[in-house]
Amino acid sequence: MIPIAKPDIGNEEIDAVSEVLASGIIAEGERVGEFESAFADYIGAEHAIAVNSGTAALHTALLAHGIGKGDEVITTSFSFIATANSIAYTGAKPVFVDIEAETFNIDVDLIENSITRDTKALMPVHLYGHPAEMKAINEIADDHDLVIIEDACQAHGATYNGQKVGSFGTGAFSFYPTKNMTTSEGGIITTNDSEIARKARMIRAHGSQERYLHEMIGYNFRMTDIAAAIGLVQLKKLEGYNNARKRNASKLSERLKDIPGVTVPVIRKGCDHVFHQYTIRVKNRDEVVACLKQSGIGTGVYYPIPIHMQPTYIEARYNCDLPVCEKAAKEVISLPVHPGVSEQDIEQIIENVIAGVK
Ligand SMILES: *Cc1c(COP(=O)(O)O)cnc(C)c1O
């Protein structure tokens, strides 16, 4: 079996968790603070605020920027549902812009058409680990006085012109087990704005900075020291993990790029793609999936139903025209690329893709 995702949990993580359990301080304690400092340093952001999921990180980031009812947030429909849900939780409306066919990220040329008087923020998603076009996004945000909230849940360590994603605007990361690094469940917000950081810390803990004094209605989004202890170990391994993903991706592309019927991922100039997913396009996806499955190779389709076509966002379906996104949803297939994939596995994956597209 070659699974599509496999968290790498070893003795170091187990020892770190055991130490927390033995200490008796098993909810938020010192490990959380240490993890926040280490992650902020890694991203090159002034502040990091740890929470209990990537979804909570996105939600908190939006609330910290004061986004709510009557506001619009521009994002893409070709993402995990949490991207849009985080916007909906605040009472704001997600506005979907189409994607570029090559990177699957927001098409920056289409953003300005969707800006209205109510637009407050842009939420680019660095999908599959490939950075969105941050130069253009920054310029649009400056021109229209918009906030940038980056959904970096798939892009820990990815860089755009040498700068890590999550440091352009307010960043949100997920540490779910399938991501480039994990804390089991977990998430984090990154920002250079101390006021946003202060608000995010309050939102995470029932609107409270001082114990039992509640200045706003917040949530319980706290991360545990158990999760942070795993995160501290995983963060040290992240560069190694990402390098292994990039190596695997380049081996897959080397062989698949010349196969008729297969479109391999692109890496834009100035971008460092961290390959959360290695995603190709094929015309006969069902056959390719079946062929790989028969040989015990897991695949993923991210995402078969775009957000604007989900029953919960049915209203959006009639208000947007997203042909590139809808086509991608029919053609994409992700192949195992995680650090646990061996040279031999890659051969087997390639053989089966070739057999499947025929
Ligand atoms: C994983 C993910 C999220 C949500 O993270 P959770 O930790 O699962 O809540 C949000 N957006 C994207 C693009 C993701 O991949």
Side-chain angles (χ1 to χ4, degrees), residues 3-79:
I4 182 67
K6 187 166 172 260
D8 173 56
I9 297 295
N11 287 334
E12 244 191 301
E13 285 84 351
I14 293 167
D15 290 347
V17 168
S18 297
E19 206 180 297
V20 171
L21 291 175
S23 79
I25 299 169
I26 58 175
E28 188 188 300
E30 281 177 16
R31 290 291 100 81
V32 170
E34 287 166 28
F35 181 52
E36 290 176 335
S37 304
F39 198 81
D41 276 355
Y42 175 73
I43 294 299
E46 303 251 332
H47 312 274
I49 304 90
V51 290
N52 51 21
S53 73
T55 308
L58 288 164
H59 186 184
T60 301
L62 288 158
L63 291 174
H65 281 282
I67 288 159
K69 203 165 176 351
D71 297 335
E72 294 180 357
V73 178
I74 293 178
T75 188
T76 79
S77 178
F78 200 57
S79 183

Side-chain angles (χ1 to χ4, degrees), residues 53-55 58 79-80 82-83 125 151 153-154 174-176 179 185-186 303:
S53 73
T55 308
L58 288 164
S79 183
F80 182 52
T83 305
V125 182
D151 183 338
C153 287
Q154 302 188 355
S174 164
F175 302 119
Y176 188 71
K179 311 285 165 139
E185 294 275 7
Y303 295 87

Side-chain angles (χ1 to χ4, degrees), residues 256-263 354 357-358:
L256 292 174
K257 71 183 193 313
D258 299 322
I259 307 300
V262 177
T263 308
I354 294 171
V357 289
K358 268 187 191 142

